[in-house]
Amino acid sequence: MERELPKIYEPKEVENRIYRMWEDGRYFQTTRREGHKPFTIVMPPPNVTGQLHMGHAMDATLQDILIRFKRMQGYDALWVPGVDHAGIATQIKVEEELRKEGLTRYDLGRERFLERVWDWKRKYGNRIVEQQKTLGASCDWERARFTMDEGCSKAVREVFVSLYEKGLIYKGSRIINWCPNCVTALSDAEVEYVDKPGHLWHIRYPFADGSGEVVVATTRPETMLGDTGVCVNPNDERYKHIVGKTVILPLVNKEIPVVADDYAEMEFGTGCVKMTPAHDPNDFEVGLRHNLEVIRVLDDNGVVNAYGGKYEGMDRYEARKAIVADLEAQGYLVKIEDHGHNVGTCYRCHNDVEPIISAQWFVKMKPLAEEAIRVVRDGETKFVPERFTKTYLNWMENVRDWCISRQLWWGHQIPAWTCAECGHITVSREDAHVCEKCGCSNIERDPDVLDTWFSSALWPFEILGWPDKTEDLNYFYPTDVLVTGYDIIFFWVARMVFSACEHTKMPPFHTVLIHGLVRDDKGRKMSKSLGNGIDPLEMIDKYGCDALRMNMITGNSPGNDMRFYVERCEAMRNFANKLWNASRYVLMNVPEGMKNQLPEVAKLEIADKWVLSKLNTLISEVTDNMERYELGIAVQKIYDFIWDTYCDWYIELTKARLYGENAESKRTATQVLVYVLDQILRLLHPFMPFITEEIWQTIPHEGTALIIAHWPETREELVFNQEEGYMESVMEAIRAVRNRRAEMNVPPSKKATLYVVTQKQAAFREGIPFILRLASADEVIVLEQDPVGHEDMAGAITADAKLYMPMQQLVDVAKELERVNKELEKAQKNLSGIEGKLANEKFTARAPEAVVNAEREKAEKLRTLIAQLQESKERLEALK
């Protein structure tokens, strides 16, 4: 066992070496042990395209803290890592590479393109894993999974087929969110709504019989090419007489019917709404009720198709301009109004999403949502903080069918084959070769792949072996806690809950711990466009991983965004250095062969009892905070105890014993120093794993590694309330005396008699040795009454005592009087200069108001200073 710590803590050297030691010792591997309880976390799989960013760092730090805590508590603590195949994101990355070679995916064809993606995955897919290791992530890496590995693919297929067999997956033509830029469908959760300025175009639609016209208002005039009706409210008196008539669609010159439906709002616009069933979800529903034709006029790239007549081949926005110009030229345009509206944009590329009719695959959500709502309502799955329950329930209660097909090549291809002869769709767990209905072998597999979130929704159970009934699934599932950001509650959390309830008949986790976003120091979201992103790897390189983790977690509370201050990394590195230096000091005093055990209680002195009693409270409170997921509160308490209680006080309190003649007292102090250091290293380990492991390996200890050492527990025999109270009173007095002396600029070398007037005689008598040494006293006299002449002494007051020091012992009265007179003269001179300025009307009238106010403020401060100096002068003259 090493005995020495180097003079300076070098995080880089220590972190690499310690992580290798943990991996070599197989401390991250989790097995099922008899008589132990499981504790499971599944890592939200980062995208295979990912580079570690602050969000990942926050996510991984929180999970690692919990898993290390539970591992030390003796649980079979399993943290399963993995990466997500990230459909659109990965395909875009590889297509960008192909573009540099002058190729498209179509030049390669599906199979060769997928080979390229797998190559890319093998080359870069491990990057994020290695980056997570630099964060200290103690996952069971041997269990790492990929959403397109064999096991996950089997689970995805099983879920698709089983939902299809239950009638919960269907193919249908519906209005979906379409991104013309990514050229794929998007689910509702993948659309971000942005307020944008726009216009409301009012257009004249004349009646076919020449009896007049109606005026409709639209925000998307280019879609009018696909209009197949005009809708009015059946209760609208203005329009009852026109229901059943036909109007002429301007520019297209075709007759379309007027229908009555509650969807039309009488108060909005003119009360008449144009109906484009192929390009608007509400119009589509109205069209179904009134049998309106469905005409799609935009293709997959947002370009007008053959149904658009002369506008064919124009981009949607180009067509808009041309159509509005033609409407105006032909006298159909009534007016244009400014109109701000909520526009759906693609969460990937931020282009406007186009609602388009399309044949897609959907999951029927209403039946699946019921159980997912119940388990959260009944508290089987709890959100921390609780307020996010509302967000989840609100989404679930209003959920629409989920569009799960994507027009991509990278992903889980849909296991459905359409027969060229009879049109039947065969959905199968194994690859189909013939139509299950007519036996024809001329069948074609659906080219689309499943939404990435479809496979991620199965993550908590698929990575433990489902659909097979494995022992791991039986033991580690349902998982305990899911740690994730509030931004993916809909995307991911909700979908995992309903998937698990449907396929495993139980919720996937007991607790969802929600964290906020990591923002910059000004509170802005970190983004490429702002250029304000902070690279966690750079922070680790500069300050060490432990300092970054501490920065992330200090002051952090569940569900709230945090601001990232680089300066705080520096402060946390200073904290690491403080702990390092304190440990070096303790080690210098540890005799060879000493074991880490406390002496019997009878040998403990008051300072020992005080620190052990405080430690007991710390262990109890921190454990309680950790169990409640109040990690920010827990670490603040540990930090304060280490910095204040242990380093600044207990080490100081024991110095006289360590350098004294009493061998037994010295041994006791050393044993307590080592015992408390061991316990605080254990408490701090989940937060700062590297430095704590490194120090722990050098102090007397039992066991092979801190990572698997036992979490501290409170000990009844170490509760010393009376001694703790005594010491707190004494320490408060020492602080008060130090502050008073500092105010008077008295150097610590100048000793003085200290009178302590208190009702707590026993406490202060026991504290005399500490007061003598730490309050620069040459004598301590404990009294019940104020001493004679106390009016002329320097005084301080605490909750338990009045403290007096004779003035002549603190200062050379003649010298001090001379100093005070000089300062008084200078202050009076400055004041009269400022008062002269303020009495000058030219100055007050011409100078800016801020300048005049600043002068007034200076004058006020000088008056206060003069009053204080006068008081000091009188007191000193009385002593003289």
Side-chain angles (χ1 to χ4, degrees):
M1 179 166 49
E2 258 183 274
R3 272 290 175 220
E4 254 188 50
L5 288 173
K7 214 170 188 164
I8 290 174
Y9 176 53
E10 299 285 2
K12 229 183 246 175
E13 187 274 326
V14 170
E15 287 167 11
N16 291 332
R17 178 166 44 76
I18 291 288
Y19 201 88
R20 272 200 313 277
M21 184 267 280
W22 288 329
E23 286 198 300
D24 294 345
R26 296 177 60 78
Y27 298 123
F28 305 156
Q29 271 65 55
T30 311
T31 52
R32 303 180 300 275
R33 295 176 297 175
E34 200 66 43
H36 287 256
K37 280 187 187 162
F39 180 87
T40 318
I41 296 180
V42 296
M43 175 191 287
N47 287 355
V48 69
T49 55
Q51 277 270 43
L52 193 78
H53 58 62
M54 276 298 177
H56 293 130
M58 167 66 81
D59 225 36
T61 298
L62 291 168
Q63 292 170 78
D64 195 49
I65 289 167
L66 293 173
I67 219 78
R68 285 177 185 272
F69 167 56
K70 288 294 173 184
R71 191 185 283 124
M72 291 175 81
Q73 279 190 322
Y75 285 82
D76 287 335
L78 173 64
W79 183 14
V80 188
V83 284
D84 193 301
H85 68 277
I88 295 181
T90 310
Q91 182 156 320
I92 287 172
K93 272 266 193 299
V94 178
E95 287 195 78
E96 276 169 10
E97 287 199 351
L98 286 177
R99 245 195 313 273
K100 289 174 197 161
E101 300 166 32
L103 296 169
T104 70
R105 60 173 156 144
Y106 300 103
D107 295 328
L108 268 69
R110 188 169 191 138
E111 265 184 51
R112 281 182 55 217
F113 175 74
L114 290 178
E115 279 169 24
R116 282 291 294 259
V117 187
W118 278 105
D119 286 346
W120 190 93
K121 188 257 170 193
R122 280 185 279 272
K123 194 170 171 187
Y124 296 109
N126 223 26
R127 181 174 56 186
I128 194 137
V129 170
E130 292 310 310
Q131 290 171 341
Q132 283 169 324
K133 290 182 179 181
T134 61
L135 271 172
S138 61
C139 320
D140 189 341
W141 294 110
E142 288 179 13
R143 292 174 180 263
R145 298 296 297 271
F146 178 52
T147 49
M148 274 179 61
D149 65 25
E150 206 181 316
C152 291
S153 300
K154 180 181 174 182
V156 166
R157 200 136 170 187
E158 175 57 41
V159 165
F160 186 93
V161 177
S162 114
L163 289 176
Y164 182 78
E165 287 169 351
K166 292 172 188 166
L168 292 170
I169 279 184
Y170 64 91
K171 189 171 193 179
S173 283
R174 294 276 305 276
I175 293 281
I176 48 111
N177 308 298
W178 185 267
C179 176
N181 186 56
C182 298
V183 198
T184 185
L186 301 172
S187 75
D188 291 345
E190 290 167 312
V191 178
E192 290 172 350
Y193 287 91
V194 182
D195 285 321
K196 291 191 177 184
H199 298 97
L200 205 51
W201 285 271
H202 292 255
I203 307 163
R204 216 186 295 279
Y205 282 36
F207 291 122
D209 61 10
S211 62
E213 64 190 22
V214 292
V215 175
V216 300
T218 179
T219 55
R220 294 158 70 212
E222 66 280 9
T223 62
M224 69 177 286
L225 303 172
D227 281 5
T228 56
V230 168
C231 176
V232 297
N233 193 295
N235 302 313
D236 196 330
E237 293 298 336
R238 295 171 295 178
Y239 300 121
K240 276 190 173 168
H241 67 289
I242 68 166
V243 175
K245 281 191 167 199
T246 58
V247 294
I248 301 289
L249 178 60
L251 308 184
V252 180
N253 223 8
K254 103 177 182 189
E255 285 188 40
I256 56 174
V258 178
V259 298
D261 195 283
D262 288 331
Y263 165 66
E265 291 176 41
M266 294 190 272
E267 296 75 32
F268 184 74
T270 59
C272 297
V273 193
K274 66 186 219 47
M275 291 285 113
T276 322
H279 292 277
D280 182 283
N282 297 308
D283 296 4
F284 179 76
E285 298 297 333
V286 174
L288 287 179
R289 291 195 285 273
H290 298 278
N291 215 5
L292 298 178
E293 211 181 337
V294 179
I295 302 173
R296 178 174 161 176
V297 294
L298 293 175
D299 71 8
D300 289 353
N301 299 298
V303 171
V304 177
N305 63 19
Y307 285 106
K310 67 179 254 196
Y311 307 102
E312 184 182 353
M314 289 185 185
D315 166 78
R316 51 186 169 160
Y317 298 119
E318 193 189 334
R320 177 180 294 183
K321 278 185 192 150
I323 287 167
V324 170
D326 288 347
L327 287 170
E328 192 164 17
Q330 295 176 34
Y332 290 114
L333 190 62
V334 180
K335 62 174 176 175
I336 305 172
E337 285 179 322
D338 287 338
H339 175 73
H341 58 142
N342 222 352
V343 179
T345 63
C346 171
Y347 82 116
R348 279 254 161 246
C349 68
H350 306 296
N351 280 290
D352 288 2
V353 162
E354 199 61 55
I356 274 180
I357 186 127
S358 179
Q360 300 285 344
W361 290 90
F362 294 88
V363 175
K364 243 187 223 170
M365 284 303 304
K366 276 280 179 275
L368 291 168
E370 284 170 16
E371 183 65 358
I373 288 168
R374 185 198 66 75
V375 295
V376 170
R377 278 238 167 91
D378 293 355
E380 289 175 37
T381 292
K382 289 187 169 71
F383 281 82
V384 177
E386 213 276 320
R387 66 176 186 272
F388 287 101
T389 307
K390 207 165 149 194
T391 311
Y392 168 91
L393 290 174
N394 192 28
W395 192 73
M396 271 300 198
E397 283 158 1
N398 299 293
V399 76
R400 289 180 27 193
D401 285 359
W402 173 18
C403 173
I404 52 169
S405 41
R406 296 289 178 274
Q407 289 62 48
L408 304 169
W409 286 354
W410 172 243
H412 297 279
Q413 194 173 350
I414 290 171
W417 288 259
T418 305
C419 177
E421 296 292 320
C422 71
H424 176 76
I425 295 177
T426 302
V427 168
S428 164
R429 285 173 178 81
E430 308 303 326
D431 282 3
H433 300 291
V434 295
C435 170
E436 63 185 359
K437 190 175 181 188
C438 74
C440 166
S441 60
N442 188 5
I443 60 173
E444 193 181 339
R445 186 166 185 179
D446 195 309
D448 290 354
V449 298
L450 289 162
D451 177 4
T452 302
W453 298 100
F454 190 90
S455 46
S456 329
L458 321 178
W459 193 242
F461 49 96
E462 69 184 349
I463 58 178
L464 291 169
W466 190 93
D468 298 335
K469 291 182 168 60
T470 63
E471 286 184 20
D472 273 352
L473 186 67
N474 187 33
Y475 185 68
F476 291 112
Y477 184 84
T479 69
D480 288 272
V481 60
L482 175 83
V483 178
T484 190
Y486 59 65
D487 49 340
I488 56 171
I489 290 177
F490 319 133
F491 276 124
W492 194 43
V493 181
R495 288 167 178 170
M496 279 190 287
V497 177
F498 76 68
S499 300
C501 291
E502 177 64 22
H503 304 293
T504 69
K505 303 302 172 215
M506 50 180 114
F509 22 71
H510 305 305
T511 305
V512 182
L513 175 59
I514 298 283
H515 61 76
L517 304 176
V518 183
R519 296 181 175 274
D520 72 5
D521 54 3
K522 295 180 182 67
R524 300 172 305 177
K525 200 171 171 175
M526 291 189 187
S527 70
K528 277 183 189 158
S529 55
L530 285 173
N532 63 342
I534 292 169
D535 181 355
L537 300 168
E538 265 177 46
M539 294 294 109
I540 290 172
D541 200 50
K542 197 167 176 190
Y543 301 105
C545 169
D546 288 333
L548 174 68
R549 288 171 64 121
M550 281 293 274
N551 187 345
M552 292 279 202
I553 205 69
T554 310
N556 185 320
S557 59
N560 294 331
D561 291 352
M562 71 157 282
R563 291 187 181 198
F564 188 89
Y565 297 96
V566 174
E567 309 82 72
R568 207 155 65 181
C569 276
E570 209 161 313
M572 291 307 167
R573 189 183 55 189
N574 294 344
F575 171 66
N577 289 340
K578 175 121 177 159
L579 176 63
W580 185 261
N581 292 334
S583 306
R584 286 187 75 239
Y585 168 77
V586 171
L587 278 167
M588 279 164 21
N589 289 287
V590 171
E592 195 60 51
M594 179 185 144
K595 281 198 164 24
N596 176 13
Q597 62 187 64
L598 280 176
E600 57 225 50
V601 172
K603 290 182 178 171
L604 296 174
E605 298 184 20
I606 184 167
D608 307 329
K609 290 179 176 177
W610 165 76
V611 78
L612 291 168
S613 198
K614 295 270 287 182
L615 175 69
N616 234 355
T617 306
L618 178 74
I619 292 168
S620 161
E621 288 183 6
V622 164
T623 307
D624 188 50
N625 293 137
M626 298 285 274
E627 300 287 8
R628 294 166 186 267
Y629 303 104
E630 296 164 349
L631 309 183
I633 296 173
V635 78
Q636 191 61 54
K637 288 176 180 174
I638 300 167
Y639 177 98
D640 291 343
F641 184 94
I642 292 173
W643 192 286
D644 201 39
T645 308
Y646 189 71
C647 296
D648 285 358
W649 280 101
Y650 185 64
I651 286 180
E652 284 304 316
L653 294 171
T654 53
K655 274 182 178 169
R657 291 158 67 189
L658 293 182
Y659 302 132
E661 300 303 313
N662 185 333
E664 187 161 14
S665 178
K666 179 179 180 171
R667 187 165 50 251
T668 299
T670 310
Q671 285 174 309
V672 175
L673 278 165
V674 169
Y675 175 82
V676 176
L677 179 57
D678 167 87
Q679 296 288 292
I680 55 185
L681 289 172
R682 290 172 195 240
L683 292 173
L684 184 61
H685 177 73
F687 303 94
M688 297 183 91
F690 292 107
I691 191 171
T692 51
E693 182 75 76
E694 176 74 348
I695 294 169
W696 191 82
Q697 291 291 342
T698 62
I699 65 171
H701 65 266
E702 279 176 22
T704 56
L706 178 58
I707 187 174
I708 51 164
H710 289 305
W711 183 256
E713 289 177 4
T714 51
R715 291 171 58 177
E716 276 307 305
E717 72 275 20
L718 298 182
V719 177
F720 304 107
N721 292 331
Q722 186 183 22
E723 289 88 341
E724 193 182 330
Y726 279 9
M727 271 312 287
E728 292 294 335
S729 296
V730 168
M731 285 160 60
E732 206 184 335
I734 292 170
R735 277 190 210 103
V737 170
R738 281 174 167 179
N739 290 343
R740 188 72 184 95
R741 289 172 63 104
E743 282 165 19
M744 296 168 67
N745 298 318
V746 181
S749 55
K750 207 168 184 69
K751 306 280 187 197
T753 305
L754 179 69
Y755 295 96
V756 181
V757 180
T758 180
Q759 298 310 303
K760 288 194 171 178
Q761 299 271 316
F764 284 93
R765 287 188 198 288
E766 199 146 353
I768 287 175
F770 305 122
I771 300 171
L772 282 169
R773 203 162 57 81
L774 299 175
S776 303
D778 52 10
E779 187 182 4
V780 178
I781 300 167
V782 182
L783 305 167
E784 284 185 4
Q785 308 273 295
D786 289 342
V788 177
H790 66 89
E791 303 88 344
D792 297 327
M793 294 185 186
I797 293 179
T798 70
D800 300 317
K802 286 190 281 183
L803 308 152
Y804 298 107
M805 293 165 281
M807 206 64 160
Q808 298 93 325
Q809 293 181 21
L810 296 174
V811 290
D812 177 327
V813 175
K815 251 190 189 171
E816 186 64 9
L817 194 55
E818 193 183 325
R819 185 187 70 79
V820 168
N821 277 326
K822 262 189 195 159
E823 273 198 45
L824 190 57
E825 202 178 311
K826 187 179 162 192
Q828 284 165 335
K829 191 177 170 188
N830 287 347
L831 179 63
S832 81
I834 291 171
E835 282 177 337
K837 227 189 224 182
L838 292 168
N840 180 344
E841 276 179 28
K842 273 185 188 168
F843 170 74
T844 50
R846 287 181 190 169
E849 196 183 339
V851 173
V852 176
N853 287 340
E855 291 298 312
R856 285 192 179 122
E857 220 169 277
K858 275 187 209 164
E860 206 40 59
K861 280 183 181 165
L862 283 166
R863 286 186 197 107
T864 308
L865 177 66
I866 288 165
Q868 287 168 345
L869 290 167
Q870 290 281 20
E871 202 181 303
S872 296
K873 181 180 173 177
E874 284 162 23
R875 213 170 39 236
L876 289 163
E877 281 173 341
L879 284 170
K880 200 174 164 191

